[in-house]
Amino acid sequence: MDFIFSDEQQQLRDSLQKFIGKEYGFEARKAIIASEQGFSDKVWAQFAEMGILGVAFDEAHGGFGGSSVDTMLVMTELGRGIVVEPYFSTVVLGGSLIDLAGSEAQKQAVLSEVVEGKLLLAAALGEPNSRYELNCVQTTAKRDGAGYVLNGHKAVVLHGESADKLVVSARTAGAAREAKGISLFLVDKASAGVAVQGYRTIDGMRAAEIKFSNVKVGADAALGEIDNALPVLERGADFAVSALCAEAVGAMEALNAATYEYLKTRQQFGRPIGSFQALQHRAVDMMIHCEQSRSLALLASIKVQSEDPNERKRTVSAAKIQIGRSGRAIGEEAIQLHGGMGVSNELAAGHYAKRLAMINATLGDVEHHSERFASAA
Amino acid sequence: MDLNYTKEEQAFRDEVRKFVHENLPKDIADKVLHHKRLVKDDWVRWQKILHKKGWVAPNWPKEYGGCAWTPIQQNIFEEECGYAGAPRVMPFGLVMVAPVIQHFGSKWQKEYYLPRILSSEDWWAQGYSEPGSGSDLASLKTKAVRQGDHYIVDGQKTWTTLGQYADMIFCLVRTDSTVKKQEGISFLLIDMKSPGITVRPIITLDEEHEVNEVFFDNVKVPAENLVGEEGKGWTYAKFLLGHERTGIARVGESKRELEQLKAIASKELRNGKPLIEDPRFRDRITAVEVELMALEITLLRVLSSRTKPGPEASILKIKGTDVQQALTELTMEAVGPYALPFRPEARAGDWHGESVGPEYAASAAAVYFNYRKTSIYGGSNEIQRNIISQMVLGL
Ligand SMILES: Cc1cc2nc3c(=O)[nH]c(=O)nc-3n(C[C@H](O)[C@H](O)[C@H](O)COP(=O)(O)OP(=O)(O)OC[C@H]3O[C@@H](n4cnc5c(N)ncnc54)[C@H](O)[C@@H]3O)c2cc1C
Ligand SMILES: Cc1cc2nc3c(=O)[nH]c(=O)nc-3n(C[C@H](O)[C@H](O)[C@H](O)COP(=O)(O)OP(=O)(O)OC[C@H]3O[C@@H](n4cnc5c(N)ncnc54)[C@H](O)[C@@H]3O)c2cc1C
């Protein structure tokens, strides 16, 4: 057993933590969210410079050959700062799907540009009726000469509006919920027939409804094996879920710290409210929630690489269940212990609670993963 | 023992239901049912309709133009209104300050203010909380100094619900800082248009404007606006707290939200089947529904008891808000990934833009976050628990 991060990993974490602490305060973040595009090109360029856009990818594709633990470290720091830049959609979800499914040529072309900060990705997987089921795909890709024609509606595509390229799941065969018959495509968002309706999300990010009407793509747009994308899709999503868990842990740590600070400083009845045992015990439970979440987030970041799909699914789902529950508990308690200040949008606490709640609604909530956990025995 | 409503009570319920059905403006009900943004006119319009019928003040005695209904009747009325999607009658004037004026106010205050409250001519706000005095209300610092026939008020109130609409605010102010803190507090009625008052919005997690900071800088208040005696403000405030018992459980509204949750869960699919058929989700709905059933009977037991309502009212506050919050949580989860889109612009009554996802999903997360307030305001649920443990359990 070795729970120690390497020197490089600690350096990566420290430099990112320092950057976010200095440049990404509450007011700076607020201004970024209020901007037209909803995230900062400047911050993104900094991320490229620091090398965090490449930690997940091989050196052959311009990356830094990091492990899933590196991604976890980065995501925890992004969570601590509730960073709204499209790291998750571009590097973690979009990037890993290309990394897992793409051909050598596709990886060369796309990933190196991602690493340099020149290209943004989004994964268009969900649909209006699919909830959290990756196999529920009604968007179609029909053969058209050498290429394909896409039709359909993709829902709540994270950072879909700012993305240059979209990783799209589409049905090339089979019925709406069949495991077989799903394929992945890499589509230029600028293609004719792609209509994007962008909007804010309640946690300060952006997402979009994306409709495809007769969007023509070449044969080289197919990512991986035709009709057989579900296993890869699930693997990529599991990697993304493990990253979300790590992000949640960072958010929990920061939110707990803010709450403890408030308990120590806020005075009522002539004493700090943290002197009331009713609140002390709840503060302790928040801490335990965070530690339990950290444990499973760690485990998931390792087991997500497992070659045994059942072991991978069980561990990742376990982590998502834990952080879903703990994130809800910590978010609600933090607001409550802040009293009226907790429901004010001018305090960071509520924004952490929002992000934690939306992480639960991304790539499967507690109930979805409970079912998955039980069936992956 | 008979847990059924009497014939008269049932007839009363039918009468209320019919009236609400026929008179509640559809545009207002639509806003309430779809969690759209209410504006001043929505509340005022509904209150005026109730006033015309003579039903706007269920809790007032007849002599002041109230209905003098029994607590059970009041509850039936509130439940029917809540269930039908009527906006809540704004409590600050009708439920909070009016009984204080009726019991402790001067003849002039009764004659001048009560009719204006009944007709919704004046919108009232509650000025209790201050930045440094929330749960510990008695520590409040806003000062009122007597100068001839006026008080000069300096200080700050906060969390003032819908203070941006208010014509009047009733405030607890400190008139004497040399005595025990509860004994130096007085109850003042202050005109919001007085020079020296500034109102600043506080934006909540759903980015709505429903609370405010209210600043008092050298505000002149006529001495005739003091209610009762100087130094008795705390007693009056406590009288008021004991008075409010039907409103806090919100059984009617929760029944309505439960029904909407079930409708949503019947439309949403999980694994190709309606979510409501999924045992995991169904059991969670059941758990809340059972709590709500129990709450309704607990409420009726409190209302039927012949003794003055005591600290048991705290049970209603705690459980009522638990149920409300659980319903918003389940609704947010029921809509799945469509909890994410956040479009405050779509909550305007006259908005007709392109929707995102099903209409019922549009404000699910915003309402969940907004409703975190219910366990904080009106005496936080921790304070309610302290009250029960001290006053009921003797701990
Ligand atoms: C099955 C069993 C095996 C045991 N084995 C051993 C043994 O091998 N050797 C041994 O020495 N002892 C043993 N104990 C005793 C055990 O350590 C005590 O029961 C324990 O320390 C609690 O003390 P108490 O029973 O006097 O309860 P109390 O101390 O009277 O506590 C009563 C309740 O009050 C709570 N409480 C007390 N103080 C506070 C506070 N400051 N804040 C909040 N809550 C508080 C407690 O948590 C508890 O819920 C055993 C007990 C049990 C039940
Ligand atoms: C949406 C909203 C609307 C409101 N509207 C109005 C209004 O119209 N008029 C008005 O006057 N006020 C209003 N309030 C204020 C409300 O009454 C206060 O927020 C409430 O009393 C709590 O005070 P606080 O916010 O200062 O929190 P604090 O008192 O600072 O409490 C912080 C936390 O400590 C806990 N705590 C405090 N003391 C104890 C204790 N002794 N034991 C255990 N736990 C304790 C609290 O429960 C809370 O969890 C509103 C508040 C909100 C959120």
Side-chain angles (χ1 to χ4, degrees), chain B residues 301-330:
Chain B
R301 284 171 54 211
V302 172
L303 295 180
S304 306
S305 84
R306 267 161 245 289
T307 55
K308 238 182 116 240
E312 317 81 66
S314 294
I315 302 178
L316 303 178
K317 165 71 181 11
I318 293 170
K319 266 302 147 193
T321 56
D322 271 0
V323 168
Q324 290 174 68
Q325 291 182 336
L327 288 167
T328 65
E329 182 182 13
L330 285 175

Side-chain angles (χ1 to χ4, degrees), chain A residues 266 276 336-337 340, chain B residues 126 128-129 134-135 159 161 211 380 382 386:
Chain A
R266 170 69 173 169
F276 300 120
Q336 182 70 21
L337 300 192
Chain B
Q126 179 188 30
Y128 282 12
S129 306
S135 298
W159 308 117
T161 297
V211 283
S380 75
E382 288 74 27
N386 286 349

Side-chain angles (χ1 to χ4, degrees), chain A residues 271-284:
Chain A
R271 46 202 262 213
I273 56 172
S275 66
F276 300 120
Q277 198 177 55
L279 305 191
Q280 287 168 351
H281 285 194
R282 287 156 70 177
V284 171

